[in-house]
Amino acid sequence: GDIYWDEDNTLRQPFRLTVSGGISYSAGSFRVYLRGENLSGAEIPVFWFRSVGREFYQLSRPATITLGVDFSIIKQ
């Protein structure tokens, strides 16, 4: 549902979803992966507060793509 940021419920943010996903390939001790977070690039407030008459807030991270390689030296 909606998120209310103040005690009086006057500052409202509608519920929103972000798109994230990933894919990986493993071969022996190696793994290659591709992961994406907030792929739509939506700027969504992640927190908000008021202190000494000033308002502070932070927006979500921008779209992020990660490409990585893992290598395991421990046999399982």
Side-chain angles (χ1 to χ4, degrees):
D2 294 345
I3 297 171
Y4 293 91
W5 291 100
D6 60 352
E7 293 82 12
D8 299 328
N9 290 337
T10 57
L11 186 57
R12 181 183 70 84
Q13 173 185 336
F15 178 75
R16 295 179 66 181
L17 294 174
T18 60
V19 178
S20 299
I23 188 169
S24 68
Y25 174 75
S26 297
S29 297
F30 288 95
R31 181 174 73 105
V32 178
Y33 61 89
L34 178 65
R35 182 173 50 229
E37 297 178 19
N38 192 15
L39 295 174
S40 64
E43 290 186 332
I44 301 170
V46 293
F47 79 82
W48 174 91
F49 68 93
R50 181 179 295 149
S51 177
V52 193
R54 297 188 65 192
E55 294 182 354
F56 300 90
Y57 69 95
Q58 180 177 341
L59 296 176
S60 61
R61 293 176 57 180
T64 305
I65 305 242
T66 305
L67 175 63
V69 177
D70 289 337
F71 174 75
S72 176
I73 58 173
I74 299 173
K75 298 281 183 179
Q76 293 183 350

